Amino acid sequence: MKKNTANTPPRNTTIDTLRIILAVLVVYIHLNNTLYNRTGLDGLSLIFDDIIMVLARTAVPIFLAISGYCLYRNNLKAEQASIRRSLRHIVLLAMGSIVMYIIVGIVTNGASATAARFTSSRFLSMILFDQTSGLLGVGALWYLLALIACYLIYYFYPYFTKRQKYLITISALLYLWAICISPVYGNIILDKEPAVLFRNYLGLGLPFFSLGYFYHKYQQRIRTTISNQTVKFAILSFALYAIEQVIYLSGGHRRYPMEISIMMPLVVVGVLMLATQHPRLLAKTKFPAWSAKYSLYLYIGHTAVINILSKYLFDNEPPASLRYYKVLLLYVAVVAITLLASFAYVHIKKLIVKLFAKHNISLAITNPNQTVKP
């Protein structure tokens, strides 16, 4: 781990540990409609699937909030320097991920089908709304593009005004707008589900990024106000969120839990409160460092593993019904294969860097851990 400096907050090993848990939960979301079809589940299997999905949908908002939380500095120059470092790494990481998924698309669907995806409308949708599923056949990369947008907004915002209350207001209004058009409430208000308008830096990215940022800024005041009620607050927030999702899932149409909901900000604040009140979880072990090192690799790479398995196991058509224990086995297999591939990549990268250094050749290889961790 890097040593702390005057402008760098101390490591929070609880947050580092939390990262890998969140990444593993995200993997489960993307199994659906690729390696299994949840409409083919029933009874206890469907209930268990719902429970995991409800938990998994909290992962990306918490990831975004952690990124905002880790960005905050008391010194504006130090904060902007941190943003510049993060942007350099995350842009390279996003570019590498795009190339990887183009190659995966060629392997799983053929060159012609992959090339057919590249239309001007899909490219514009990716640039404006972070929608990568149409262009690349994978939706998870929207998170990287949303992070880039959030960092850019926080970098240039001080050049226009020093009043951060406007940023709080804008983020809150964007989230309220996202709630109104989300699948949870959009069917009531708009009778449609325009995901392109909310799962991006506007509806999801900036609101939760700002939530983490301003929680860090005001955390002492928040913790003083709530005092010793942190655990109770966290439990209550999760309970209210679970009730909200159960009501939604039991409605007239059955989809799956969504990250845009009224109670989600409470869940995120509850998690941040627990992580900051108990910041040294597993601090005496190597697990936090390992989690911080491989969590983003798992998030980025698991969809490639899922698509390849789908191609060679089910010919890109998930079975209409699948015994749930097989779903869980596939889940474990995807996580394990992705982590092994990540481990191999990290060590191959080290060998390449040493080789180039030996011959005095400069080589810039992105490190995703420097983009989202403190």
Side-chain angles (χ1 to χ4, degrees), residues 86 90 101 138 169 171 209 226 333:
S86 295
I90 202 168
Y101 277 101
V138 53
T169 303
S171 299
F209 189 94
I226 297 181

Side-chain angles (χ1 to χ4, degrees), residues 189-204:
I189 299 173
L190 296 178
D191 194 31
K192 59 182 178 179
E193 300 171 355
V196 68
L197 297 179
F198 68 85
R199 193 175 285 116
N200 52 40
Y201 68 96
L202 293 172
L204 191 61

Side-chain angles (χ1 to χ4, degrees), residues 12 14-20 22 58-73 143 147 151 208-213 216 268 271-272 275 371-374:
N12 185 314
T14 302
I15 286 179
D16 284 342
T17 302
L18 184 61
R19 283 194 178 94
I20 198 69
L22 297 175
T58 66
V60 170
I62 295 173
F63 261 133
L64 288 163
I66 286 174
S67 297
Y69 178 89
C70 296
L71 170 64
Y72 175 76
R73 304 285 190 278
Y143 169 75
L147 268 185
Y151 282 127
F208 284 105
F209 189 94
S210 296
L211 181 61
Y213 180 91
H216 193 163
V268 173
V271 170
L272 289 176
T371 65
V372 297
K373 71 178 184 180

